[in-house]
Amino acid sequence: MPNHNVPSDIPQDRNTTITAPIGWLTVRSQFLAVGKGRRLHTQRMTMQYRAREPDQGQELVAGQVAPSAPLPRFGLTVTKKTGNSVERNRIKRRLRAALRLAPLDGSVANDYVLVARRDCLAAPFEQLITDIVESCAKAVAKSAQATHLPPRPDSRS
C-alpha cells in the first residue's frame, strides 16, 4: 500500500526512517528573526540561519520536553514567484520530506528557513537532501566559528 503522506517521486522503501527529530518554526516573528541572520545559497534554495538563545531550546519530543540539547528548528518559505499554488505546495511537500530524511547534525541549536526556488520542482530528491545536509553543515561550522571570535571593537569610540 503506498504511503500517501510522502510525495510520489520520493523513494519509498521500508528502511527509510526519520533520522533525527527536528522542530518547526511556526510564528511569523520566528521567521523574521531568522531573516536577520546569515544566508547560504545553492542553486535550488537559500538557507537563512541564526543561532538560537540557550533558553529557547525546550522543544516537545513525543509529548515530553527534551532533556538534552535543543533541536534545530526549520521553516519553509515558497514565494508566489516560484509558481502557482499547486507547484508551491508540491515544493513544500518535497522539502518537508527531504528534511525528515536528511541526516542532520543537531549539535548547534540553529533556526533555519529554507527559501525555495523553482528548481526544487525538477531537482532529483537526493539532490534536495544533499543541499540541505551540506548547507546545515556549513551553517553549523560558521556558527561554531563565530562563537570563538573575539568581540568586535566598538566603532563609535
Side-chain angles (χ1 to χ4, degrees):
M1 173 174 259
N3 184 352
H4 296 290
N5 295 331
V6 179
S8 60
D9 61 338
I10 298 171
Q12 296 182 20
D13 60 348
R14 296 189 187 269
N15 296 330
T16 304
T17 59
I18 298 173
T19 56
I22 58 174
W24 295 99
L25 300 176
T26 57
V27 183
R28 183 173 189 265
S29 61
Q30 295 171 337
F31 281 83
L32 293 176
V34 175
K36 294 178 183 176
R38 302 183 78 178
R39 296 164 195 250
L40 296 169
H41 304 280
T42 68
Q43 180 181 355
R44 286 155 286 284
M45 68 187 79
T46 296
M47 178 181 279
Q48 301 172 340
Y49 66 96
R50 184 175 181 180
R52 203 168 48 225
E53 299 297 323
D55 60 323
Q56 296 176 335
Q58 295 300 320
E59 298 290 333
L60 291 178
V61 178
Q64 298 178 357
V65 175
S68 62
L71 298 174
R73 297 186 304 183
F74 287 87
L76 302 175
T77 299
V78 185
T79 65
K80 286 188 176 183
K81 287 192 271 184
T82 58
N84 62 25
S85 62
V86 174
E87 294 167 335
R88 292 193 309 267
N89 288 332
R90 183 179 170 115
I91 290 171
K92 286 186 275 188
R93 283 194 310 269
R94 293 188 85 211
L95 288 176
R96 271 191 232 111
L99 280 169
R100 289 184 186 111
L101 298 176
L104 299 173
D105 178 20
S107 62
V108 176
N110 285 341
D111 287 340
Y112 303 93
V113 173
L114 300 177
V115 182
R117 295 195 181 105
R118 187 166 177 82
D119 291 341
C120 284
L121 271 176
F125 187 71
E126 290 78 20
Q127 186 63 48
L128 290 178
I129 294 174
T130 303
D131 285 349
I132 291 170
V133 170
E134 289 176 356
S135 296
C136 286
K138 287 179 186 177
V140 167
K142 287 186 178 186
S143 294
Q145 182 183 32
T147 59
H148 297 301
L149 294 176
R152 292 172 55 180
D154 188 10
S155 60
R156 291 183 258 173
S157 54

